[in-house]
């Protein structure tokens, strides 16, 4: 294990094709002295802590190479400054392979399946078209199968490689040594095949089409996986790009944020992002920290208050002294949490791989047994070999290549129509087992924007007048609470002009409206003007604060006359959504950075009993981890940057599409509409898609297993191979298309 002087390094790993590859690399790395490593197949990275005194970085690369894969040290891996083209390479190479293979396979399939199109020597053209598909197109599968073979493992790649090479090699034998190379050769279609009928038959279309289908599946998966690293890029893009630094002479100069040092003083104007973590030295303002903290109400700051980088100054001018820069800031820590959560996520081994691990050895054993049986019974070597190879050929199911991609394609397509975006196949396996759903409050259960929810006036006062006067004055302010009141007032009617407007930092605003001297803000500001809240307004204020609402007092002409309550309102659909989640067998938990009172009020409004409040961004992922440690399979629904680590940590991350790019990138599923009811649709659709994939795999293996005895008995000819392949493929496609009938609960609720 690593010592106290352990060095941390992340190695990008190339060549892994399944979850078992990742565990093989991990085992190799952990065999080195002083090394503690974990390898994540989804992000294709190894996270390694090692003792530099005991192990050199090159030895780590050597261990990865010994496992049959390649790695690069971070400096070398990130050398290209432009980065982008390198990043697109894996997908681009796979796309080229797929397109060329598809172009070459199509004519082979048509020629082989439509006898009237078969001209003299057509089989030689088919061979020329198929050979590059099998050898070059299928190279990723053959290479992976060879690596797996060296480690005594069998996966989907082994099955694909064995089946396609067997079909291709047998076709070569039949063409060059058997009778299949004769000029007038046609694909025979005898209903009752003669024993050994396969000795002059070719299986080129099987080899070409299976390779192409599986390349298509690999390509779509690789494309989905490529966006994993984008979460961190979007996170770091949220910070300010440049900053106005104050020199010793008080002069301002704009410099890139990267040049900022601890101790530098910089200016933040209203509407600007704070460049880095620091302490306010001059000025007072309100800071919108919802991105980091999830707290919906802006935080009032003054001299001595700590502020975080990338939060927004929504009030006055501030002078801040930098206390943390670069990798030490709160934003960088969130980025690190996202990386750690992604790296620590247990990879779900592909269902097809799990089945293949059993299926492949059984098929090989059957093929060897078939060969031995016929040789032992005195049949010719040619007949025995035909039967044995036929077992391998029929065991390579074309439908297996279609099973997952078609269900995924239809399922994700239907999801997109309903505003649900599913990242990839691994996501689906998580939805089946989820039993707890953690809901972020701000922006997920609530709208995330402040609204006026209550207006109480003193005895004898006119509500409409109160709203008009207060709304007009607040309209001149930039504060989010002021904007909420101004919006409500403007909706009720036109707002009169304001004279002598003054902003009292951190307290409220003053001005003259329609001849009245109006003061709006904290009760302390009204007290400065000798306006004290009468008992009925004091009671309204206390009740609103007990409900977790933000209270603003208003007075004019020397008397306190109104109390306004502003809050982040609950989305209309949230209560129904929580009820639907319960019906799916999930336990809902409300998680928020807001205070306990506000959180409890929102939870009661939507029917959630369990609340975890006052949680810092870094702690959200820890809460998810704690629930997982209790043995729960956790889904997390969130929308903000502060939710990104928890979304990445959860077994299933669902982001609200109206939220930040970072949250969307860190999640597994995105709910485009921003409607929480979509979360239940997403889980139901994912479960339905996974169910379909399992049914498809059952069909795919079932048809082939049924035909294996015929192959072993030497009764296999192309009509059976073709029929089994066509039948299994059609049933798989038809079964997948049933997902198009999936209905959204939101539609049902609406109508």
């Amino acid at each position: 294990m690593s010592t106290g002087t352990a060095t941390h390094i992340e190695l990008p790993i190339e060549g892994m094709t399944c979850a078992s590859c990742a565990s093989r690399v991990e085992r190799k790395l952990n065999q080195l002295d002083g090394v503690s490593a974990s390898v994540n197949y989804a992000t294709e990275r190894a996270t390694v802590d090692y003792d530099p005194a005991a192990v050199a970085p090159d030895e780590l690369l050597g261990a990865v190479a010994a496992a049959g894969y390649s790695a690069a040290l971070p400096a070398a891996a990130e050398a290209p400054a432009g980065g982008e083209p390198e990043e697109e390479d894996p997908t681009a190479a796979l796309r080229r392979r797929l397109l060329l293979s598809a172009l070459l396979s199509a004519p082979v399939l048509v020629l082989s399946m439509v006898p009237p199109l078969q001209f003299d020597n057509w089989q030689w053209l088919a061979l020329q078209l198929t050979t590059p598909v099998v050898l070059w197109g299928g190279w990723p599968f053959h290479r992976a199968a060879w690596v797996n073979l060296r480690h005594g493992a069998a996966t989907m790649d082994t099955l694909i490689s064995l089946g396609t090479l067997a079909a291709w090699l047998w076709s070569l034998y039949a063409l060059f040594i058997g009778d299949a190379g004769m000029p007038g050769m046609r694909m025979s279609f005898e209903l009752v095949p003669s024993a050994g009928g396969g000795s002059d038959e070719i299986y080129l279309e099987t080899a070409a089409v299976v390779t192409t289908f599986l390349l298509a599946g690999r390509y779509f998966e690789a494309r989905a996986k490529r966006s994993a690293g984008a979460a961190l890029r979007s996170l770091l893009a949220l910070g300010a790009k440049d900053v106005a630094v104050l020199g010793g002479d008080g002069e301002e100069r704009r410099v890139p944020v990267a040049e900022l040092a601890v101790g530098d003083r910089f200016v933040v104007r209203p509407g600007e992002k704070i460049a880095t973590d620091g302490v306010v030295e001059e000025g007072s303002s309100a800071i919108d920290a919802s991105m980091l903290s999830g707290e919906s109400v802006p935080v009032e700051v003054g001299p001595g208050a700590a502020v975080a980088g990338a939060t927004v100054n929504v009030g006055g001018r501030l002078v801040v002294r930098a206390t943390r820069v670069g990798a030490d800031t709160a934003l960088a820590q969130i980025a690190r949490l996202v990386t750690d959560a992604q790296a620590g996520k247990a990879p779900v081994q592909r269902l097809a791989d799990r089945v293949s691990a059993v299926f492949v050895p059984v098929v090989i054993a059957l093929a060897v047994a078939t060969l031995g049986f016929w040789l032992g019974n005195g049949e010719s070597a040619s007949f025995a070999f035909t039967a044995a190879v036929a077992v391998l050929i029929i065991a390579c199911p074309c439908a297996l290549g279609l099973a997952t991609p078609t269900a995924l394609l239809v399922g994700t397509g239907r999801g997109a129509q309903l505003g649900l975006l599913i990242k990839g196949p691994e996501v689906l396996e998580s939805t089946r087992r989820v039993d707890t759903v953690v809901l972020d409050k701000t922006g997920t259960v609530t709208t995330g924007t402040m609204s006026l929810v209550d207006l109480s006036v003193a005895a004898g006062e006119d509500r409409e007048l109160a709203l008009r006067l207060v709304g007009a004055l607040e309209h001149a302010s930039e504060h989010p609470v002021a904007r909420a009141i101004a919006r409500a007032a403007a909706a009720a009617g036109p707002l009169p002009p304001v004279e002598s407007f003054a902003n009292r930092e951190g307290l409220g605003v003053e001005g003259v409206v329609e001849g009245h001297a109006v003061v709006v803000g904290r009760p302390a500001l009204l007290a400065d003007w000798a306006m004290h809240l009468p008992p009925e307004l004091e009671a309204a204020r206390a009740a609103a604060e007990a409900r977790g609402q933000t209270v603003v007092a208003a007075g004019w002409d020397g008397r306190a006359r109104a109390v306004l309550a502003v809050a982040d309102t609950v989305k209309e659909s949230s209560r129904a959504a929580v009820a639907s989640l319960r019906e799916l067998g999930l336990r809902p938990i409300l998680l928020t950075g807001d205070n306990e009172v506000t959180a409890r009020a929102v939870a009661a409004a939507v029917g959630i009993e369990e609340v975890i409040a006052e949680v810092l961004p870094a702690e959200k992922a820890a809460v998810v981890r704690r629930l997982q440690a209790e043995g729960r399979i956790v889904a997390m629904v969130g929308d903000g940057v502060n939710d990104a680590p928890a979304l990445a940590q959860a077994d299933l991350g669902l982001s609200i599409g109206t939220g930040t790019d970072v949250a969307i990138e860190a999640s597994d599923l995105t709910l485009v509409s921003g409607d929480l009811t979509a979360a239940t649709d997403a889980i139901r659709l994912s479960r339905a898609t996974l169910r379909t994939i399992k049914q498809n795999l059952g069909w795919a293996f079932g048809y082939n297993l049924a035909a294996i005895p015929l192959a072993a008995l030497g009764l296999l000819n192309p009509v059976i191979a073709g029929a089994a392949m066509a039948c299994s493929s059609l049933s798989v496609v038809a079964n997948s298309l049933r997902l198009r009938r999936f209905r959204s609960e939101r539609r049902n609720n609406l109508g």
Side-chain angles (χ1 to χ4, degrees), residues 430-622:
S430 309
T431 60
R432 180 172 48 98
R433 308 182 323 255
V434 165
D435 57 18
T436 302
V437 59
V438 175
L439 304 170
D440 169 59
K441 181 184 76 71
T442 309
T444 303
V445 175
T446 64
T447 57
T449 53
M450 308 294 280
S451 305
L452 178 66
V453 290
D454 194 18
L455 167 59
S456 304
V457 292
E461 297 295 338
D462 180 357
R463 280 174 61 87
E464 285 179 20
L465 174 69
L467 183 60
R468 190 169 73 248
L469 295 180
V470 175
L473 189 59
E474 293 284 45
H475 186 64
S477 170
E478 283 298 304
H479 199 290
V481 171
R483 282 207 294 267
I485 295 170
R487 257 199 319 276
L495 298 178
V498 178
E499 296 165 26
S500 311
F501 176 82
N503 185 358
R504 298 279 299 275
E505 295 291 354
L507 288 172
V509 289
E510 305 163 357
V512 177
V513 185
E514 293 183 341
H516 301 284
V518 184
V519 180
V520 179
R522 298 179 180 220
L525 177 62
L526 271 70
D528 286 352
W529 288 84
M531 297 187 216
H532 299 286
L533 297 182
E536 67 269 28
L537 291 187
E538 190 58 60
R541 179 178 80 93
E545 284 179 349
R547 292 192 297 270
Q549 295 163 352
T550 301
V551 177
V552 172
W556 54 91
D557 302 339
R559 278 179 54 212
R561 298 172 189 260
V563 163
L564 299 92
V566 172
D568 180 6
T569 48
V570 172
K571 288 181 184 173
E572 287 176 22
S573 60
S574 292
R575 191 174 181 86
V578 169
S580 301
L581 289 167
R582 283 190 196 280
E583 282 169 26
L584 286 175
L586 304 174
R587 159 187 156 197
I589 298 175
L590 189 70
L591 180 69
T592 179
D594 254 351
N595 62 66
E596 183 87 23
V597 176
T598 307
R600 288 271 168 211
V602 170
V606 296
I608 296 176
E609 285 136 33
E610 217 168 325
V611 175
I612 305 173
E614 296 174 29
V615 180
L616 296 173
E619 292 167 1
K620 286 193 177 181

Side-chain angles (χ1 to χ4, degrees), residues 642-665:
N642 59 306
D643 301 320
L647 287 168
Q649 175 67 44
D651 299 282
L652 177 69
L654 298 99
S655 64
I656 299 288
T658 49
T660 59
D661 291 349
V662 182
I664 290 168
E665 291 293 354

